[in-house]
Each structure stands twice: as structure tokens, then as C-alpha cells.
């Protein structure tokens, strides 16, 4: 069973003509490894998240990127020694290797959830006998926006940055069927209503 710690709750808001954004950053402890999901763009909040949970950032073994939008990856530079994972490859130094199904050496399942981007991946983690979905921008909300949590509202929700809205809706429906709770890319964790 894995331990999940939300280090930073993601936010997204318009300020004049610019977006002010950083995603939810999650630390998963599994099989002796510490995997940081989406290190984000706000260095100060990420450092505060580690400090308030008494975790030394240098103990992070790996970084998992749900997708490569800049707000999700900017803080990569803070972890030069960590192995970098995306949905089906990982790189250590200059060596790239393929994998499938689970992050190597862990029980963390990797699910291809395209639509927001073609190479968008979400994670499925068993924690406290619940299936927790770490969804990246499969689901996200702007600050102050009401999170409507019935299945149809979640599936049909507009994403102005989606590369393929039809594919995104398919991915959302599939992922909702796998999870008990979802941690979105920006917004509050929610329980999936079955």
C-alpha cells in the first residue's frame, strides 16, 4: 500500500492577461521509493510543502510528469539526481528506457489518459484500501470555480486547453470508473460518486 502526501494544492487563475498557475504536487511513497508527481512552477510553495511534512527533498527518487505543460515541469531543475518518468519511458543521466503498466519498482499504475494532451498520463495508487487517482489535468478547475462532481458534469466539463475534447471525455469516463478519489491537477481532491 502506498502513502500519498499532497505537497501543493494546484491553482489556476487569470490575472489581467496572464495565467497564474501551478499544479497539485503529490509525493507518493511506495516500495521504498519517493515519487514526486508534477513538481510544478511555484518553488516556494513546493519547498514549504516538503518542510511542513518534514520531508527532505533530496530523498525524492523519481519525478513523474503527467504531461509536459510548462506549469507542471518548471521545478524539475530542483531535482537533478532524480529519475524522470513519463507515461512509458524513464531517463537516468542520458539513458532512456521503456516501461509499461507501473512505475518500475513500485505498485503505482500508469494510465494513458489522452485529450488534454496526446501524451497525458494519470496514476492509480492504492492507499488505505482506496484507489486514488492522481489525474494531472485530466480534471482541473480555475480558482473559485465550483467543482460539480456528478459523472456527467465531470466528463463533459470544458477544457479550453484540450487538444482533443472527445478523447478527453473518453479518458475521463474511463478513469472515473477506476477510482474512489481523484486528486486533480488544479482544485480540490474529490470522492468519485458511483
Amino acid at each position: 500500500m502506498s502513502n500519498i502526501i499532497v505537497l501543493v494544492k494546484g491553482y489556476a487563475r487569470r490575472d489581467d492577461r496572464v495565467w497564474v498557475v501551478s499544479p497539485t504536487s503529490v509525493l507518493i511513497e511506495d516500495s521504498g521509493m519517493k515519487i514526486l508527481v508534477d513538481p510544478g512552477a511555484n518553488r516556494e510553495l513546493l519547498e514549504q510543502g516538503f518542510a511542513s511534512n518534514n520531508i527532505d527533498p533530496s530523498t525524492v527518487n523519481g519525478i513523474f510528469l503527467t504531461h509536459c505543460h510548462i506549469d507542471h515541469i518548471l521545478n524539475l531543475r530542483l531535482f537533478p539526481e532524480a529519475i524522470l518518468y513519463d507515461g512509458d519511458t524513464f531517463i537516468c543521466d542520458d539513458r532512456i528506457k521503456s516501461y509499461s503498466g507501473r512505475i518500475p519498482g513500485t505498485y503505482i499504475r500508469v494510465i494513458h489518459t489522452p485529450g488534454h494532451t496526446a501524451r497525458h498520463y494519470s496514476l492509480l495508487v492504492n492507499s488505505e484500501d482506496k484507489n486514488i487517482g492522481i489525474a494531472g489535468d485530466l480534471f482541473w478547475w480555475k480558482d473559485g470555480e465550483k467543482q460539480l462532481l456528478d459523472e456527467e458534469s465531470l466528463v463533459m466539463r470544458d477544457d479550453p486547453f484540450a487538444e482533443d475534447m472527445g478523447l478527453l471525455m473518453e479518458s475521463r469516463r474511463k478513469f472515473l470508473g477506476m477510482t474512489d478519489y481523484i486528486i486533480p491537477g488544479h482544485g480540490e481532491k474529490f470522492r468519485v460518486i458511483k
Side-chain angles (χ1 to χ4, degrees):
M1 198 172 329
S2 303
N3 185 39
I4 298 172
I5 302 166
V6 175
L7 298 174
V8 177
K9 187 188 99 152
Y11 57 88
R13 64 182 177 275
R14 292 282 292 178
D15 186 9
D16 292 322
R17 293 184 178 168
V18 299
W19 280 95
V20 179
V21 293
S22 197
T24 300
S25 296
V26 177
L27 186 70
I28 306 169
E29 297 172 330
D30 183 290
S31 305
M33 293 181 66
K34 289 182 180 170
I35 305 291
L36 176 61
V37 182
D38 289 345
N42 190 318
R43 179 179 184 157
E44 183 179 341
L45 283 181
L46 185 61
E47 288 173 346
Q48 287 173 6
F50 277 109
S52 66
N53 287 284
N54 297 313
I55 299 168
D56 179 352
S58 70
T59 63
V60 170
N61 307 94
I63 307 287
F64 183 87
L65 301 176
T66 59
H67 63 295
C68 287
H69 282 170
I70 195 129
D71 61 310
H72 288 250
I73 68 172
L74 188 63
N75 283 332
L76 276 175
R77 59 191 171 184
L78 304 177
F79 303 92
E81 303 301 318
I83 296 171
L84 181 61
Y85 300 89
D86 68 6
D88 57 8
T89 58
F90 65 96
I91 186 168
C92 185
D93 297 320
D94 61 352
R95 302 194 185 281
I96 298 175
K97 296 183 181 179
S98 297
Y99 75 94
S100 66
R102 299 183 193 279
I103 294 176
T106 75
Y107 293 100
I108 303 167
R109 288 183 57 198
V110 180
I111 312 295
H112 187 214
T113 51
H116 184 73
T117 65
R119 290 190 49 79
H120 188 287
Y121 294 85
S122 301
L123 299 177
L124 192 59
V125 181
N126 186 275
S127 180
E128 299 176 19
D129 292 325
K130 302 288 182 204
N131 287 322
I132 311 297
I134 301 171
D137 285 353
L138 182 63
F139 298 99
W140 69 275
W141 288 266
K142 291 186 286 186
D143 291 7
E145 195 174 6
K146 183 173 174 65
Q147 291 184 208
L148 300 175
L149 301 178
D150 61 281
E151 182 177 358
E152 229 25 54
S153 294
L154 288 167
V155 169
M156 301 297 291
R157 176 170 171 62
D158 185 46
D159 180 346
F161 301 105
E163 291 177 0
D164 185 328
M165 198 60 209
L167 197 52
L168 179 60
M169 290 188 289
E170 288 177 32
S171 293
R172 287 172 172 169
R173 196 173 302 280
K174 174 180 80 171
F175 201 60
L176 286 168
M178 303 171 129
T179 55
D180 298 306
Y181 291 88
I182 290 179
I183 300 170
H186 309 266
E188 298 287 341
K189 176 181 175 180
F190 62 92
R191 184 173 65 87
V192 176
I193 301 167
K194 304 278 185 183

